[in-house]
Amino acid sequence: VKKSLIGGAESAGWRAAMAAALYGPGGFFTGSASVPRDHFRTSVHASPLFAEAVTRLLLRVDEALGRPRRLDFVDVGAGRGELAAAVLAALPPHVRGRARVTAVELAARPPDLPDGVDWTPTPPTGTVGLLFANEWLDNVPLDIAAVDDTGAARYVLVDAAGTERLGPPVEGPDAAWLARWWPLAGAPPGTRAEIGRTRDEAWAAAVARVDAGLAVAVDYGHLIGSRPPIGTLTGYRAGRQVPPVPDGSCDLTAHVAFDALAAAPVMPTVDRASPVPSKLFEQREALRALGIDGGRPPRTLASQDPGAYLRALARAGEAAELTDPAGLGGLTWIWHTVRCDF
Ligand SMILES: C[S@@+](CC[C@H](N)C(=O)[O-])C[C@H]1O[C@@H](n2cnc3c(N)ncnc32)[C@H](O)[C@@H]1O
């Protein structure tokens, strides 16, 4: 059954193979059996402090927008809707009454999701508030190029068993993207590059749905000058890193070229003349600015109020995981303000 996802023994480019394996019939994310949190751990699963920080960000956006009549929180690539549900639950009552919380997800709506969370496969238009995408873009399918023996960049083709071979030369907009963002000229045979053009386009289209407010994507990434020479494509299954085989049995993920994403033109629906500025932060910086840090509680609290001390200690441990530079704290946040002083 799995082999039919990309047509038996036939090869396809990685973009088509990833699309079929993750989102086709019986795909890893769209098939009925798979629950993302069983396979990998995102900040959302690591600690409720993450949702707390995102809620705080939404409330700051609300203030910056002058408390609009409707405040949107749009979670793109929502998984099982855990973040959307947690943000909804954490909103103070006076804001909850104005809030529209939407989970954008290709998988089916989980039966236990609260009624207050809308579920849709495409981002709503006219968003006023915060659009947030945690670890979505690394799952947006992309093609991969490799340098052949003559020094030319060719598409890497793959079959359902994960066996790769070189295909046609990379041309057109993909070649232009490589030349600008992941140049392969002069690189030794076998050097690979992940062509992030599809991520740039997907993200720009999502940001363009925001009429006013903030759009944030969070992911593992790299910048020009420090691209990994063999790329980052990998698989995950049941919490373990596995070879990337596009047969629907594992997650397939590749890090994001954040500088390309930041430079991609966004065409907002409202006020097309105004550019949409972008900034890049490390997660630990962003979370610290939102009041999450790994500082331990004072020792004196242990004798004064042991229960509060233990709770504060647990919170500090979770904050330390979310801000650890070698782990989740090393994630990159890209941040676009749309017609909003923030
Ligand atoms: C790595 S999971 C992240 C889940 C959640 N945001 C979290 O942080 O735990 C990526 C999710 O993005 C979803 N996804 C991928 N492409 C999508 C698209 N174009 N529209 C909506 N959801 C998408 C996948 O189905 C998957 O559930």
Side-chain angles (χ1 to χ4, degrees), residues 3-66:
K3 289 215 162 169
S4 68
L5 286 170
I6 60 166
E10 285 168 33
S11 297
W14 265 107
R15 179 183 177 178
M18 249 176 115
L22 297 181
Y23 309 114
F28 180 74
F29 285 119
T30 44
S32 53
S34 193
V35 176
R37 64 175 170 264
D38 294 343
H39 297 277
F40 47 81
R41 182 174 167 88
T42 68
S43 302
V44 175
H45 315 130
S47 165
L49 292 180
F50 190 73
E52 190 181 307
V54 174
T55 307
R56 202 165 287 147
L57 183 59
L58 175 63
L59 294 175
R60 289 194 190 166
V61 171
D62 187 37
E63 292 296 322
L65 291 172

Coordinates of all heavy atoms in Angstrom, one line a residue, residues 3-66:
K3 N 3.9 1.7 -1.1 CA 4.6 1.9 -2.3 C 3.8 2.7 -3.3 O 4.3 3.4 -4.1 CB 5.1 0.6 -2.9 CG 6.1 0.0 -2.0 CD 7.2 -0.8 -2.8 CE 8.3 -0.9 -1.9 NZ 9.3 -1.8 -2.3
S4 N 2.5 2.5 -3.3 CA 1.7 3.2 -4.3 C 1.7 4.7 -4.1 O 1.3 5.4 -4.9 CB 0.2 2.7 -4.2 OG -0.4 3.1 -3.0
L5 N 2.1 5.2 -2.9 CA 2.1 6.6 -2.6 C 2.9 7.4 -3.7 O 2.4 8.4 -4.1 CB 2.8 6.9 -1.3 CG 1.9 6.6 -0.1 CD1 2.8 6.7 1.2 CD2 0.7 7.5 0.0
I6 N 4.0 6.9 -4.2 CA 4.7 7.6 -5.2 C 4.9 6.7 -6.4 O 5.8 6.8 -7.2 CB 6.0 8.2 -4.8 CG1 7.0 7.2 -4.3 CG2 5.8 9.3 -3.9 CD1 8.4 7.8 -4.3
G7 N 4.0 5.8 -6.6 CA 3.9 5.0 -7.9 C 4.9 3.9 -7.9 O 5.8 3.8 -8.8
G8 N 4.9 3.0 -6.9 CA 5.7 1.8 -6.9 C 7.2 2.1 -7.0 O 7.7 2.9 -6.3
A9 N 7.9 1.5 -8.0 CA 9.3 1.6 -8.1 C 9.7 2.9 -8.8 O 10.9 3.1 -9.0 CB 9.9 0.4 -8.8
E10 N 8.7 3.7 -9.3 CA 9.1 4.9 -10.0 C 9.8 5.9 -9.1 O 9.5 6.0 -7.9 CB 7.8 5.5 -10.5 CG 7.2 4.8 -11.7 CD 5.9 5.4 -12.0 OE1 5.6 6.6 -11.8 OE2 5.0 4.6 -12.4
S11 N 10.6 6.7 -9.7 CA 11.2 7.8 -8.9 C 10.5 9.1 -9.2 O 9.9 9.3 -10.3 CB 12.7 8.0 -9.4 OG 13.4 6.8 -9.1
A12 N 10.6 10.0 -8.2 CA 10.0 11.4 -8.4 C 11.0 12.3 -7.8 O 11.9 11.9 -7.0 CB 8.7 11.4 -7.8
G13 N 10.8 13.6 -8.0 CA 11.6 14.6 -7.3 C 11.2 14.6 -5.8 O 10.1 14.1 -5.5
W14 N 12.0 15.1 -4.9 CA 11.7 15.0 -3.5 C 10.4 15.8 -3.2 O 9.7 15.4 -2.3 CB 12.9 15.5 -2.7 CG 13.7 14.4 -2.2 CD1 15.0 14.0 -2.7 CD2 13.4 13.4 -1.2 NE1 15.4 12.9 -2.0 CE2 14.5 12.5 -1.1 CE3 12.3 13.2 -0.4 CZ2 14.5 11.5 -0.2 CZ3 12.3 12.1 0.5 CH2 13.4 11.3 0.6
R15 N 10.2 16.9 -3.9 CA 9.0 17.7 -3.6 C 7.7 16.8 -3.8 O 6.9 16.8 -2.9 CB 9.0 18.9 -4.5 CG 7.8 19.8 -4.3 CD 7.9 20.9 -5.4 NE 6.7 21.8 -5.2 CZ 6.5 22.9 -5.9 NH1 7.4 23.2 -6.8 NH2 5.4 23.6 -5.8
A16 N 7.6 16.2 -4.9 CA 6.5 15.3 -5.2 C 6.4 14.1 -4.2 O 5.4 13.8 -3.7 CB 6.5 14.8 -6.6
A17 N 7.6 13.6 -4.0 CA 7.7 12.4 -3.1 C 7.2 12.8 -1.7 O 6.5 12.0 -1.0 CB 9.1 11.8 -3.1
M18 N 7.7 13.9 -1.2 CA 7.3 14.4 0.2 C 5.8 14.7 0.2 O 5.2 14.3 1.2 CB 8.1 15.7 0.5 CG 9.2 15.6 1.5 SD 10.0 17.2 1.7 CE 9.6 17.6 3.3
A19 N 5.4 15.3 -0.8 CA 3.9 15.7 -0.8 C 3.1 14.5 -0.7 O 2.1 14.4 0.1 CB 3.6 16.5 -2.1
A20 N 3.4 13.4 -1.5 CA 2.6 12.2 -1.5 C 2.7 11.5 -0.1 O 1.8 11.0 0.5 CB 3.0 11.3 -2.6
A21 N 4.0 11.4 0.4 CA 4.3 10.6 1.6 C 3.7 11.3 2.8 O 3.2 10.6 3.8 CB 5.8 10.4 1.7
L22 N 3.6 12.6 2.9 CA 3.1 13.3 4.1 C 1.7 13.6 4.0 O 0.9 13.5 5.0 CB 3.9 14.6 4.3 CG 5.4 14.5 4.6 CD1 6.0 15.8 4.9 CD2 5.7 13.6 5.8
Y23 N 1.2 14.0 2.8 CA -0.2 14.6 2.7 C -1.1 13.8 1.7 O -2.2 14.2 1.5 CB -0.1 16.0 2.3 CG 0.9 16.8 3.2 CD1 2.1 17.3 2.7 CD2 0.7 16.9 4.5 CE1 3.0 18.0 3.5 CE2 1.5 17.6 5.4 CZ 2.7 18.1 4.8 OH 3.6 18.8 5.7
G24 N -0.6 12.8 1.0 CA -1.4 12.1 0.1 C -2.3 11.1 0.8 O -2.3 11.1 2.1
P25 N -3.2 10.3 0.1 CA -4.0 9.4 0.8 C -3.2 8.4 1.6 O -2.2 7.9 1.1 CB -4.7 8.6 -0.4 CG -4.5 9.5 -1.6 CD -3.3 10.3 -1.4
G26 N -3.5 8.3 2.9 CA -2.7 7.4 3.7 C -1.4 8.0 4.1 O -0.5 7.3 4.6
G27 N -1.2 9.3 3.8 CA 0.1 9.9 4.1 C 0.4 10.0 5.6 O -0.5 9.8 6.4
F28 N 1.6 10.4 5.9 CA 2.1 10.4 7.3 C 1.2 11.3 8.2 O 0.8 11.0 9.3 CB 3.5 10.8 7.4 CG 4.0 10.8 8.8 CD1 4.3 9.6 9.5 CD2 4.3 12.0 9.5 CE1 4.8 9.6 10.8 CE2 4.8 12.0 10.8 CZ 5.0 10.8 11.5
F29 N 0.9 12.5 7.7 CA 0.1 13.5 8.5 C -1.4 13.3 8.2 O -2.2 13.6 9.1 CB 0.5 14.9 8.2 CG 1.8 15.3 8.8 CD1 2.9 15.7 8.0 CD2 2.0 15.3 10.2 CE1 4.1 16.0 8.6 CE2 3.2 15.6 10.8 CZ 4.3 16.0 9.9
T30 N -1.8 12.9 7.0 CA -3.2 12.9 6.7 C -3.8 11.5 7.0 O -5.1 11.4 7.0 CB -3.4 13.3 5.3 OG1 -2.4 12.6 4.5 CG2 -3.3 14.8 5.1
G31 N -3.0 10.5 7.1 CA -3.5 9.1 7.4 C -4.1 9.1 8.8 O -3.8 10.0 9.7
S32 N -5.0 8.2 9.1 CA -5.7 8.2 10.4 C -4.9 7.8 11.6 O -5.1 8.3 12.7 CB -7.0 7.3 10.3 OG -6.5 6.0 9.8
A33 N -3.9 7.0 11.3 CA -3.2 6.4 12.5 C -2.2 7.4 13.2 O -1.9 7.2 14.4 CB -2.4 5.2 12.0
S34 N -1.7 8.3 12.5 CA -0.6 9.1 13.0 C -1.0 10.3 13.8 O -1.8 11.1 13.4 CB 0.2 9.5 11.8 OG 1.5 10.0 12.2
V35 N -0.4 10.4 15.0 CA -0.5 11.6 15.8 C 0.9 12.2 15.9 O 1.8 11.6 16.5 CB -1.1 11.3 17.2 CG1 -1.1 12.5 18.1 CG2 -2.4 10.6 17.1
P36 N 1.1 13.5 15.4 CA 2.5 14.0 15.4 C 3.2 13.9 16.7 O 4.4 13.6 16.7 CB 2.2 15.5 14.9 CG 1.0 15.4 14.2 CD 0.1 14.4 14.8
R37 N 2.5 14.2 17.8 CA 3.3 14.2 19.1 C 3.8 12.8 19.5 O 4.7 12.8 20.3 CB 2.4 14.8 20.2 CG 1.2 14.0 20.6 CD 0.5 14.5 21.8 NE -0.8 13.9 21.9 CZ -2.0 14.3 21.5 NH1 -2.0 15.5 20.9 NH2 -3.1 13.6 21.6
D38 N 3.4 11.8 18.8 CA 3.9 10.4 19.1 C 5.3 10.3 18.4 O 6.0 9.3 18.7 CB 3.0 9.3 18.6 CG 1.7 9.3 19.4 OD1 1.7 9.9 20.5 OD2 0.7 8.7 19.0
H39 N 5.6 11.1 17.4 CA 6.7 10.9 16.6 C 7.9 12.0 16.8 O 9.0 11.7 16.6 CB 6.4 11.0 15.1 CG 5.4 9.9 14.7 ND1 5.9 8.6 14.5 CD2 4.1 9.8 14.7 CE1 4.8 7.8 14.2 NE2 3.7 8.5 14.3
F40 N 7.5 13.2 17.2 CA 8.5 14.2 17.5 C 7.9 15.1 18.5 O 6.7 15.2 18.8 CB 9.0 14.9 16.2 CG 7.8 15.4 15.4 CD1 7.1 16.5 15.7 CD2 7.4 14.6 14.3 CE1 6.0 16.9 14.9 CE2 6.3 15.0 13.5 CZ 5.6 16.2 13.8
R41 N 8.9 15.9 19.2 CA 8.5 16.7 20.3 C 8.8 18.2 19.9 O 9.9 18.6 19.6 CB 9.4 16.4 21.4 CG 9.2 17.1 22.7 CD 10.2 16.4 23.7 NE 10.3 17.2 25.0 CZ 9.5 17.0 26.0 NH1 8.5 16.2 26.0 NH2 9.8 17.7 27.1
T42 N 7.7 19.0 19.7 CA 7.9 20.4 19.4 C 7.8 21.2 20.7 O 7.4 20.6 21.8 CB 6.8 20.9 18.5 OG1 5.5 20.9 19.2 CG2 6.7 20.0 17.2
S43 N 8.0 22.5 20.7 CA 7.9 23.3 21.9 C 6.5 23.2 22.5 O 6.3 23.3 23.7 CB 8.1 24.8 21.5 OG 9.4 24.9 20.9
V44 N 5.5 23.0 21.6 CA 4.1 22.9 22.0 C 3.9 21.7 23.0 O 3.2 21.8 24.0 CB 3.1 22.8 20.8 CG1 1.7 22.6 21.2 CG2 3.2 24.0 19.9
H45 N 4.6 20.6 22.6 CA 4.4 19.4 23.5 C 5.4 19.5 24.7 O 5.1 18.9 25.7 CB 4.8 18.2 22.7 CG 4.2 18.1 21.3 ND1 4.9 17.8 20.2 CD2 2.9 18.3 20.9 CE1 4.1 17.9 19.1 NE2 2.9 18.2 19.5
A46 N 6.5 20.3 24.5 CA 7.5 20.3 25.6 C 6.9 20.9 26.9 O 7.2 20.4 28.0 CB 8.7 21.0 25.1
S47 N 6.1 22.0 26.8 CA 5.7 22.6 28.0 C 4.5 23.6 27.7 O 4.5 24.3 26.7 CB 6.9 23.5 28.6 OG 6.4 24.4 29.5
P48 N 3.6 23.7 28.7 CA 2.5 24.7 28.5 C 3.0 26.1 28.6 O 2.3 27.0 28.2 CB 1.6 24.4 29.8 CG 2.3 23.4 30.6 CD 3.5 22.8 29.9
L49 N 4.3 26.3 29.0 CA 4.8 27.6 29.0 C 4.9 28.2 27.6 O 4.9 29.4 27.4 CB 6.3 27.6 29.6 CG 6.4 27.3 31.1 CD1 7.9 27.4 31.4 CD2 5.6 28.3 31.9
F50 N 5.0 27.4 26.6 CA 5.1 27.9 25.2 C 3.8 28.5 24.8 O 3.7 29.6 24.3 CB 5.5 26.7 24.3 CG 5.8 27.2 22.9 CD1 7.0 27.9 22.6 CD2 4.9 27.0 21.8 CE1 7.3 28.3 21.3 CE2 5.2 27.5 20.5 CZ 6.4 28.1 20.3
A51 N 2.7 27.8 25.1 CA 1.3 28.4 24.8 C 1.1 29.7 25.6 O 0.5 30.7 25.2 CB 0.2 27.4 25.1
E52 N 1.7 29.7 26.9 CA 1.6 30.9 27.7 C 2.2 32.1 27.0 O 1.7 33.2 27.0 CB 2.2 30.6 29.1 CG 2.0 31.6 30.1 CD 2.7 31.2 31.4 OE1 2.5 30.0 31.9 OE2 3.5 32.0 31.9
A53 N 3.5 31.8 26.5 CA 4.2 32.9 25.8 C 3.5 33.4 24.6 O 3.4 34.6 24.3 CB 5.6 32.4 25.5
V54 N 2.9 32.4 23.8 CA 2.2 32.8 22.6 C 0.9 33.6 22.9 O 0.6 34.6 22.2 CB 1.9 31.5 21.7 CG1 1.0 31.9 20.5 CG2 3.2 30.9 21.3
T55 N 0.3 33.2 24.0 CA -0.9 34.0 24.4 C -0.5 35.4 24.8 O -1.2 36.4 24.4 CB -1.6 33.3 25.7 OG1 -1.8 31.9 25.3 CG2 -2.9 34.0 26.0
R56 N 0.6 35.5 25.5 CA 1.1 36.8 25.9 C 1.4 37.7 24.6 O 1.1 38.9 24.5 CB 2.4 36.7 26.7 CG 2.7 37.9 27.6 CD 3.7 37.5 28.6 NE 3.2 36.7 29.7 CZ 3.9 35.7 30.4 NH1 5.1 35.5 30.0 NH2 3.3 35.0 31.3
L57 N 2.0 37.0 23.6 CA 2.2 37.7 22.3 C 0.9 38.2 21.7 O 0.8 39.3 21.2 CB 3.0 36.8 21.4 CG 3.5 37.4 20.1 CD1 4.4 38.6 20.3 CD2 4.2 36.3 19.3
L58 N -0.1 37.3 21.7 CA -1.4 37.6 21.1 C -2.0 38.8 21.8 O -2.5 39.8 21.2 CB -2.3 36.4 21.2 CG -3.7 36.7 20.7 CD1 -3.8 37.0 19.2 CD2 -4.6 35.4 20.9
L59 N -1.8 38.9 23.2 CA -2.4 40.0 23.9 C -1.7 41.3 23.6 O -2.3 42.4 23.6 CB -2.4 39.7 25.4 CG -3.3 38.5 25.8 CD1 -3.1 38.2 27.3 CD2 -4.8 38.8 25.5
R60 N -0.3 41.2 23.4 CA 0.4 42.4 23.0 C 0.0 42.9 21.6 O -0.1 44.1 21.4 CB 1.9 42.1 23.0 CG 2.4 41.9 24.4 CD 3.9 42.0 24.5 NE 4.4 41.6 25.8 CZ 5.6 41.3 26.1 NH1 6.6 41.4 25.2 NH2 5.9 40.9 27.3
V61 N -0.3 41.9 20.7 CA -0.8 42.3 19.4 C -2.1 43.0 19.5 O -2.4 44.0 18.9 CB -0.8 41.1 18.4 CG1 -1.5 41.4 17.1 CG2 0.6 40.5 18.2
D62 N -3.0 42.5 20.4 CA -4.3 43.0 20.6 C -4.2 44.5 21.0 O -4.8 45.4 20.5 CB -5.0 42.2 21.7 CG -6.4 42.6 21.9 OD1 -7.1 43.0 20.9 OD2 -6.9 42.6 23.1
E63 N -3.2 44.8 22.0 CA -3.0 46.1 22.4 C -2.5 47.0 21.3 O -3.0 48.1 21.1 CB -2.0 46.2 23.6 CG -2.4 45.5 24.9 CD -3.6 46.2 25.5 OE1 -3.6 47.5 25.5 OE2 -4.5 45.6 26.0
A64 N -1.5 46.5 20.5 CA -0.9 47.3 19.4 C -2.0 47.6 18.4 O -1.9 48.6 17.7 CB 0.2 46.5 18.8
L65 N -3.0 46.7 18.2 CA -4.0 47.0 17.2 C -5.2 47.8 17.8 O -6.2 48.0 17.1 CB -4.6 45.6 16.7 CG -3.6 44.8 15.8 CD1 -4.2 43.4 15.6 CD2 -3.3 45.5 14.5
G66 N -5.0 48.2 19.1 CA -6.1 49.0 19.7 C -7.3 48.2 20.0 O -8.5 48.7 19.8

